[in-house]
Amino acid sequence: MSRRMALSVAAGAVVLVGAGAYALAYAGEQPPALTHSTARYTAPEGGRDGSLTFTTSVTASSGVKNVKVLAWPQNSSFAKNKLTAEDMAAVESAVCKPFKKHTSNCVYTIKTSASDAASSPRGVWHIAVLATARNGTTTLNAKAADFIVR
């Protein structure tokens, strides 16, 4: 192998290693990803409370720090004025448990009384989710799942 060729191969290897390091660093800064999001609403009936249960899987390379959940009716002001991370700051958090190395399964459950259900708007509701990774990156999905209040 000639000296020129050996230098070219060495330079190419350095470029590839540098590109790989950049790709790994960039992958570490990706915002959290939500998958398998579902909502189940059960109306109060016969003196029993109803409930809303939302589940999702959240993947973040640095780990999941927090997942905030908000149910909102389709005909609310959030439909016109887009929901923001600031709107989600004071809402309740889901309970998240590690599932795989970078993934947590998160569940949010709330009871619904008959009086709550009677005063709630009928129709389609959406679940908004703000997921925050340990490295501070966030993902806001204003319509992660839907359910219907009849």
Side-chain angles (χ1 to χ4, degrees), residues 30-97:
Q30 293 295 312
L34 304 171
T35 57
H36 310 295
S37 298
T38 61
R40 187 180 74 231
Y41 173 74
T42 305
E45 184 179 346
R48 291 188 190 161
D49 284 343
S51 65
L52 169 64
T53 301
F54 170 76
T55 61
T56 192
S57 291
V58 182
T59 302
S61 59
S62 66
V64 177
K65 179 180 178 183
N66 192 311
V67 175
K68 302 262 188 172
V69 179
L70 174 68
W72 58 279
Q74 181 170 310
N75 59 355
S76 76
S77 63
F78 291 135
K80 296 176 198 140
N81 307 324
K82 300 213 181 216
L83 194 64
T84 66
E86 290 78 27
D87 295 324
M88 299 291 290
V91 302
E92 296 177 339
S93 295
V95 174
C96 297
K97 295 185 179 179

Side-chain angles (χ1 to χ4, degrees), residues 14 24 37 64 108 147:
V14 168
L24 286 175
S37 298
V64 177
Y108 172 79
F147 64 96

Side-chain angles (χ1 to χ4, degrees), residues 95-107:
V95 174
C96 297
K97 295 185 179 179
F99 175 65
K100 291 184 179 177
K101 185 175 181 180
H102 300 290
T103 303
S104 291
N105 287 333
C106 301
V107 178

